[in-house]
Amino acid sequence: MGRVARPGRRPSPVPDPDSPLGRFAQGLRELRDQAGDPSYEALARETEQLGSPYSATSLRNAASGRTRPSWDVTEMFVRACVAFARKHPRRADSAAGEWKTDDLLAIWTARWQAISLSGEPAAAQPGARSPDRFAAGAPGRLPATLTRFVGREAELATGLRLLSESRLVTLTGIGGVGKTRLALHLAEAVAVRFPGGVHLVELAELTEPTMVDRAVATALGVQTEAERTPLEAMAEALRGRRTLLVLDNCEHLLEATAALTRALLHAVPQLRVLATSRQPLNEAGEQVLAVDPLPLPHRDGSAEQCCSAAVELFVDRAKAAVPDFRLTDANREAVVRVCRMLEGLPLALELAARRLRLLTVQELAERLDQRFALLGAAGADRTAPPRHRTLRAVFDWSHELCSAEERAAWERLSVCAGTVSLADAEALCADQRPAAQPALEAIAGLVDKSLLTRIEVRGRTRLRMLETVRMYGREHLAASGRDEQARRRHLEHYLGLARRAEDEYASPRQCRRLLRLREEHANLRQAFRYALADEQPSPLLFEGARALWLYWIACGNVGEGVHWMRRLSERFPEPPRPDLTTAWCWAMWAAAFALLLQGDHGGCAAFLDRVESVASRAGDGGAEWAGLQAAVHQQRGLSALFRGDTERAERHSHEALRFGGHRPGLLTTQQALAQIGLSAAVRGAGEEAVHFIRRAIELSEECGETWHRSYLLWTLAIAYTEEGRAREAVPLLRQSLDFKMQLGDLLGMATVSETLAWVLAQSGDPHTAALLLGAAHTTWRPAGAPQLWGFSHLVRYRDRGVQQIRRMLGEASFEKSYRAGERLGLDQALSQALGKRFPG
């Protein structure tokens, strides 16, 4: 509920709100505000009642941001806020009702220690104490940190909560992601909860499972005796003491570590264990916190968007390596590029920062394609464990922990790009040997070892591999001599996926297939790369190119489709073998279609001429060639229609209908009918136009596809608006947009929105019409296609509408609404428009 502002003096602003001390002070102010905005005098009274009185001035100074307060003042500030919130629940935020004093103190302990390590000036407080409960030199004392801890606010908050709820918490993640550093920071933050001490056990250098028990006993300061096992001695020493045991780097001794952890937790009820490992211990009651790489800056790379934890870490470590280093306008883009190429992996960022002693940031970014050599021994931290001294050592360690099947899966999946569906990963990793381990188990092992990350998309599992992990896998794949086989398997799988999708374009499964292809965009692109580089071209290269004719439109990326079609035609200007002639002709038809959608009518015609020339030399191929001729005529008709030549458009479209052998997935018949209908509409034959378009809609409904039907409904709406029947056009436009939204067809949504804007203007809402026009304009720009596909009649129709809307609104008002649409984006603009009442 809202609070009435409390009268009194306005607080002075924090001098440097972006500094560690400034953020600390801002946090205290926010805590006080959440507690109900008590005066500092009221907080002082609370501290008195809590038994540790502090003056209002001391508490105000704690949140001033000018000096670092003592721990005593910080602790009482937090306790006083909690006490006030409990006494005045109606004034406090709802979140304050869930406050737990111990959890809050743990969080503020970590924050106080962070500013202590940052070297901020401290306020003079007689007898002030630190929250650190460790005695110097005591067994288990955590090592002092030498560099600043960056980011991880979300992981710290989650870790603190898990440690309060569970007796076993394991931090998992890929090597070099910062598990150890996070664990130490968490341990420091919760130290006040464990009067029995926090004890760190470093397991990385142990080589035998039998060494785990004695290493833990040594860290605890427990003397083992001949008549007692180390477990018995540890259990007796820990019994009755609230203790935290930090087990660092368990992955290579997983079974022994898990067995000891299980035994100690059963024997010592007050013990808690915080472990770090590249995979979970898989013990009962274990809570797993996955540690991901640091967040990356936003895509636009502007100064405001560069403030990410990855950039902050890189810049901090760069300053340590080169003291005069600063993030500037001149180097910002290169810094962001380095952070993105290294995917926010902390160890890689730290190693890269050391290279700035020799290279500029730009030179560093240019060399990161060879990152394992670049981030090698020359830039290593000699004080680091051997497994963390170079980037390669990190992954060598992970590779050694993998089974033979897991290593093979790692290599085979390294040829992929982007994310991979679980089903596709299984297909790519499947081994035909009778005794082979199921691919699913190998993939699960890579997920457990943090080499693959599982994400969920629409209720299905997808797998993500960091590019650095991928590069390591590719090196091993190349060394094994199996890289060509893995690439061929990849291209056959994904281009085969495209071919199977085309088989269902003319079916109710069309939408699902198109959405599936969109998820595999990165791997379709990768498959084209592999196929174009293949010395012996696969028929699937040409069949996949043809099959993606609809995908390039529906995914809104015509420009990329043209790119791949041009590369294909340059690589194979003629059929490479006689047996590939038919497949080549169909691929060139798809190339012509992509060029047509980009507005290149000359290029489209040239490709179709090549197709007809090759087909005529090849002779009569029966129904397949008839279908190809029909498709060529349909596309020539569409090109003529876009240019405004209705006579030629109708002639070619009728020719397309005359031929038999139409491929169902090309939707040739209904497209040719729609072209005849649109041509009739352009020349003013309204009844004839509606007749042909309705025939096309009937065919679409019979086969159950939705993409073309959405355009046909829009086409019929245009025919109606041309005749002044806007009321009948509205439900057609709504239905068309419903289909477009199901498909995620942004260019289709933009196309229909142009007509909807005109209808809105005619029905008295020019403001929303201008909003939609602005939003549609921003959708066309990055697509690589001209607005309204360059359809001259519709472009003129739109221009007339824009001019009329300008006159209705006035120039200033039109520009305001148009620019608002550009900022809003098409989804939100349509949401606003469709929420309005339309005529009829």
Side-chain angles (χ1 to χ4, degrees), residues 372-600:
F372 289 108
L374 182 66
L375 308 182
D381 177 359
R382 293 181 179 84
T383 66
R387 69 188 185 284
H388 274 182
R389 287 183 187 168
T390 68
L391 193 61
R392 185 178 299 281
V394 170
F395 292 101
D396 285 345
W397 175 270
S398 289
H399 197 256
E400 290 172 9
L401 296 174
C402 291
S403 67
E405 291 80 6
E406 289 166 351
R407 292 173 187 172
W410 184 349
E411 292 172 10
R412 289 174 183 175
L413 293 178
S414 72
V415 302
C416 297
T419 63
V420 183
S421 76
L422 177 58
D424 290 343
E426 288 183 271
L428 292 169
C429 295
D431 201 319
Q432 302 303 316
R433 293 176 299 162
Q437 181 185 18
L440 182 65
E441 294 303 317
I443 293 166
L446 295 178
V447 172
D448 282 345
K449 293 176 176 64
S450 306
L451 294 162
L452 285 174
T453 303
R454 177 191 175 275
I455 56 177
E456 187 175 317
V457 178
R458 288 199 292 273
R460 311 291 290 182
T461 292
R462 295 191 69 81
L463 302 165
R464 176 175 178 265
M465 181 180 284
L466 290 178
E467 185 60 27
T468 305
V469 180
R470 200 187 310 277
M471 290 175 70
Y472 185 92
R474 284 177 185 166
E475 283 192 4
H476 277 264
L477 183 65
S480 71
R482 295 187 294 269
D483 50 343
E484 184 177 347
Q485 177 188 3
R487 288 187 173 91
R488 179 167 289 276
R489 177 182 288 201
H490 178 280
L491 78 86
E492 288 176 352
H493 181 82
Y494 284 102
L495 293 181
L497 185 70
R499 185 180 61 183
R500 292 191 297 275
E502 189 208 22
D503 292 340
E504 296 188 313
Y505 281 169
S507 80
R509 293 177 293 278
Q510 179 200 66
C511 179
R512 185 173 63 190
R513 283 296 189 180
L514 286 171
L515 293 174
R516 173 89 163 87
L517 290 178
R518 181 169 295 168
E519 290 178 345
E520 309 309 331
H521 185 92
N523 278 303
L524 289 170
R525 180 189 292 153
Q526 189 82 313
F528 267 113
R529 287 196 190 99
Y530 292 149
L532 286 169
D534 203 335
E535 290 296 325
Q536 295 297 322
S538 165
L540 269 174
L541 169 61
F542 303 102
E543 292 169 9
R546 179 204 66 224
L548 291 173
W549 75 270
L550 177 55
Y551 172 68
W552 297 122
I553 316 170
C555 79
N557 205 338
V558 176
E560 181 165 352
V562 169
H563 165 77
W564 290 113
M565 295 301 100
R566 285 194 184 280
R567 285 194 58 185
L568 178 64
S569 66
E570 289 166 1
R571 175 84 165 81
F572 301 106
E574 295 284 332
R577 300 194 305 268
D579 61 302
L580 294 179
T581 298
T582 303
W584 178 91
C585 285
W586 279 116
M588 293 305 105
W589 175 90
F593 192 67
L595 288 169
L596 173 60
L597 293 178
Q598 201 178 42
D600 184 356

Side-chain angles (χ1 to χ4, degrees), residues 185-207:
H185 210 69
L186 275 170
E188 289 180 357
V190 299
V192 292
R193 301 187 201 172
F194 297 96
V198 177
H199 301 268
L200 172 65
V201 187
E202 296 175 322
L203 302 176
E205 304 308 316
L206 303 186
T207 57

Side-chain angles (χ1 to χ4, degrees), residues 8 210 259 299 306 323 440 471 482 492 574 638 644 651 700 713 732:
T210 54
R299 285 284 176 192
C306 281
L440 182 65
M471 290 175 70
R482 295 187 294 269
E492 288 176 352
E574 295 284 332
L638 183 59
R651 186 173 70 250
S700 172
L713 291 166
L732 298 173

